[in-house]
Amino acid sequence: MNSLQSQYRLLMRQRLLVLGGGGAVGFAAVQFSVASGCHVSATCGSKSIDRVLAAGAEQAVDYSSKDIELAIKGKFDAVLDTIGAPETEILGLNFLKRGGHYMTLHGETAALADHYGLALGLPIATTVLLKKRMQTWYSYGIDYSYIYMRADAEGLEEIRRLSETGKLKIPVDKTFHMTQVREAHEAKDKRLIPGKVVLEFD
């Protein structure tokens, strides 16, 4: 059994809440987590509820029209926050069991590295993370972490396998030819296309 399979075995039967499960990253996280055996709940917009439920989530709550804290029952082993706003951080921490894991895609690392440069920004980001980890552990008994992208052959192979078996489906809203890359960027920047954009080569 490889290390990725071992991680999946550890996740089996755990309760996971995905904040922002209707977005492209959140929707992928829902599918990966369901495939690994997690019991998944998610917050999303009203237009995404059916899609998130069809992907295997046990509950999908419209964040814009419901009191999320009343709509979602129980505590979770882990929360994945794909939004990263102060209010979603508080929400996620409140939904976790003591000893649970809060994971955010929007840590300060990138912003601090852009502002101060890598040499200074990364140490500052590390200090900020350590402070948050200490605060959340002593206040809530919760492990706080940033999630970083790391591409590797094993992970890509797992993505391929899940895609081929129909367990991972990434919705594409629009396809552009490679010569239309400027138009694709403008459409995304102006939020004319909510989902993923694909650039095609000849």
Side-chain angles (χ1 to χ4, degrees):
M1 179 179 291
N2 62 37
S3 60
L4 186 60
Q5 289 171 322
S6 298
Q7 290 171 12
Y8 278 179
R9 178 67 61 86
L10 291 173
L11 286 171
M12 287 178 65
R13 294 181 297 278
Q14 297 218 354
R15 294 194 76 211
L16 170 70
L17 174 62
V18 179
L19 300 176
V25 175
F27 185 58
V30 168
Q31 295 175 85
F32 278 121
S33 303
V34 169
S36 71
C38 289
H39 300 284
V40 180
S41 296
T43 65
C44 58
S46 58
K47 293 180 180 179
S48 300
I49 288 178
D50 290 341
R51 184 177 67 178
V52 170
L53 291 173
E58 297 177 1
Q59 185 179 23
V61 176
D62 181 357
Y63 62 81
S64 65
S65 63
K66 291 186 177 181
D67 187 329
I68 298 173
E69 295 191 73
L70 294 177
I72 298 176
K73 305 299 182 184
K75 294 287 187 175
F76 292 82
D77 300 292
V79 169
L80 174 62
D81 184 355
T82 70
I83 300 169
E87 56 268 26
T88 59
E89 180 175 305
I90 293 171
L91 184 71
L93 292 173
N94 287 335
F95 269 121
L96 281 167
K97 298 176 181 177
R98 190 166 187 86
H101 302 275
Y102 172 85
M103 303 164 287
T104 178
L105 299 178
H106 296 278
E108 287 89 345
T109 303
L112 289 171
D114 286 344
H115 185 75
Y116 293 105
L118 287 175
L120 189 58
L122 290 181
I124 294 174
T126 301
T127 302
V128 171
L129 174 58
L130 288 173
K131 181 180 178 181
K132 283 195 171 185
R133 293 195 69 168
M134 291 176 63
Q135 288 174 336
T136 53
W137 179 255
Y138 285 110
S139 298
Y140 300 91
I142 288 167
D143 181 51
Y144 184 107
S145 61
Y146 297 160
I147 300 299
Y148 299 96
M149 186 193 76
R150 181 176 63 86
D152 58 65
E154 186 181 37
L156 292 173
E157 175 61 24
E158 186 66 15
I159 290 172
R160 183 194 65 78
R161 185 186 69 79
L162 292 175
S163 297
E164 289 182 351
T165 58
K167 294 181 179 179
L168 176 64
K169 298 177 181 178
I170 305 300
V172 175
D173 280 354
K174 190 170 179 61
T175 300
F176 291 86
H177 189 268
M178 191 59 189
T179 58
Q180 298 175 294
V181 66
R182 180 187 295 274
E183 291 90 334
H185 275 289
E186 288 177 350
K188 290 299 292 182
D189 290 342
K190 294 177 181 178
R191 300 185 182 274
L192 300 177
I193 302 171
K196 285 295 185 183
V197 166
V198 170
L199 294 175
E200 285 188 330
F201 294 85
D202 291 330

